[in-house]
Amino acid sequence: MSALCACALSLNGCGLDVHRTPAGAEGQQPHIVLQTALPPGGTGAQIAAAATAPEDGQWIRPAKDFASSRFSGLNEITTSNVAQLKPAWTFPTGVLRGQEAAPIVVGHMMYVVTAYPNLLYAFDLSKPGASLKWMYNPKPATSSQGEACCDVVNRGASYADGKIIYATLDNNVVAVDAESGKEVWRTKVGDINKGETMTMAPLIVKDRVLVGNSGGEMGVRGWIKGLDLKTGAVKWTAMHTGPDSVVLIGPSFKPFYKKDQGTDLGVKTWPGTTWQIGGGGMWGWISYDPALDLIFYGSSNPGPWNPEQRPGDNKWTSTFFARRPETGEAIWAYQMNPHDLHDYDGVNESILLDIPWHGSKRGILVHPDRNGYMYALDRATGEVLYANPYVHITSSDSVSLKTGELALNPTKEPKMGKIVRDVCPAAPGGKDWQPSAFSPRTGLMYVPHQNLCMDEQPTAVSYISGTPYVGMDVRMKPGMGGNRGFVTAWNPVTGKPVWRISEPFPVWSGALATAGDVVFYGTMEGWFKAVDARTGAPLWKYKTTSGIIGQPVAFRGPDGKEYVAVMSGVGGWSGAIVAGGLDPRDSSAALGFVGAMRDLPRVTPKGGTLYVFSLR
Amino acid sequence: MCSRFAEPAARAGIVVLVVLALAACSRERRTFHDSPPAASVAAESAKAVRSDSGVSRDGPYGNNAWALSQGKQLFSAFNCVGCHSHGGGGMGPPLMDSAWIYGFEPANIYATIANGRPNGMPAFKSRITPQQTWELVAYVRSMSGQGSKAARTNRSDEMEVRPAEAQTKTEKPVLVTPPPTVTPPAQEGHP
């Protein structure tokens, strides 16, 4: 049955050799191979050369490299010995909310940011048991907890220039001396009284610290900012709504498709002045191509969710941007979801790859959008090379490669006074924030994601500063097949899935790929799992004390050994029922996610523990 | 309208009907402009009180169907629903369960709505009247089955996402401590 479902879900890979491998040990989830003939040399896709670097054993930013590959070149842990992996040391953070951050490793030190109150722990890996060297507490305002839509998470810190830099929930970007733990600078960039919070991990490019705001559910006006690495001073701000002058759209701006061309579309595609409270935050991932000198990222959903209150394309929400890191100047933009109907933020990661394409090499970014399509965009121009479904989609029919337009399914358009049923994917999309990995050895992307649908009904909503601006009742439910999560191996060249692992709960953790041909991910029950990068076959798993929604990383310790680290601690939007102690009788709780997660409290308690694994 | 119950019948029956009728009148009363106690109660701020501060056990409108339905509308109109959903919680805590962080007496809930609370609850006293606040108090309490069952709403105008308030089990409210912010591990032995 699962094989059939996967077949229906893949839409493309199904005429191929589809079979289901035998279920493994007790508790293993079905693992489905959709396409068996993976060439030994891989798919031909490589990490964009300029955006990667030789393996140095460190992990200085959440996505590992500028290409966001999350690939470790370390190969001590392999498919044949990963079964011997054991915890080397653990650390309880004392914070019991969703832990989404990636541990950062610089030299002999490791740094971890917790969920609110955003403590920063520094561990000396050269000491026995990796002793705690210092702890920094940025003391964010307690009231910021009431402005964060989907648990009080933090997606991690980045390292540059001797500083660990991250954003607090109450909109302070802080730079902390990596050696001493002393605050070097602190810049307040947002206002919780307007519903703004910050949860994303900064990307540091040259001397710019790139950050963005959260709050698409609070009527914020979204932005990305470039701060000075030395001082923290804000050097530029690009708004995601409003006139071209503040969106930093100028003469260099060349959108590929006609639908994204025109002047002041950030005003004209909104009724009245609603662009001022129109959402379009930036709480996800940024990639950088040094060869083109462009950063790439997507903006969040428009607000309110009720689409009848904002007729128009609502630019530049749910849009992918290419900008210059020094100045913020926009180079191209592509709006995936004009007039978004279902909370399909555009903030998911993009992995920068060079692929063989119609006989020549093409520099692309691959972006799994919330709307259920895996987009391959030309990095230089924003042209869509393909946009293929990676989950079951009912909300739309296809993406036109000619016009770039998303063909919506009119029967799934929310209208007040009417319940729209079985909208797939649900509001968190085919995939939410949880970042994918890519291995140049297999040429495959490893995509952790969910399989959810929803019923929804818009309600009239008024803007009250600092309160939610949503206007939609939602109840989510498992998608086709009944399992709520997948890990999908995606061939970025053919644009098709290769294998797929079903998980009972949404796979809300990031993925990690290593040169040992092992892929790691965590589950919301608390399993930390290793699978074969070529086949998806299960190799190892370890049960941590709480659900895992963090980002696994690999590094070389001062002792020369390879380690794998991940935070355990359930929460986030999907785990809010546990982290926030929500009531399962209300399926609309947590913006409708509780409807699909009623059984989670029975399988995991809250947590907040760092786990580090090694062989022996 | 209530007089129609006074029809010829057995004496005992009349007594029962009159009692029911009076209750029904209270349930159905519509008060468009009221002056419920406000200032003294709103002054109560951070401290959770277990006494009812001179307000009746269920608050001024806990047994009034019209005020409860007004409260339900206000709960949506003032975006309470965005944080607390339809009682199950989200950004804010659930309201349909037994746990109360800042007190469960009507006066406590009034103060929470009017003055806000430190972990993210905004203050609404500059946006809504004392009467509307009490209507919200009545509705919020009805979410966990408090107040008169007969007065609680039995249906929703929107998509069904939870059992109706009238069908919700009456929870026994308990005062809980706010969620701990953090207990960082001791740093002894480390420089």
Side-chain angles (χ1 to χ4, degrees), chain A residues 312-326:
Chain A
D313 273 0
N314 310 136
K315 282 178 165 46
W316 299 91
T317 63
S318 197
T319 299
F320 226 75
F321 274 103
R323 292 184 186 273
R324 296 271 177 241
E326 291 282 318

Side-chain angles (χ1 to χ4, degrees), chain A residues 128-142:
Chain A
S131 61
L132 182 65
K133 188 170 179 189
W134 48 257
M135 193 267 291
Y136 163 79
N137 184 351
K139 301 195 169 91
T142 58

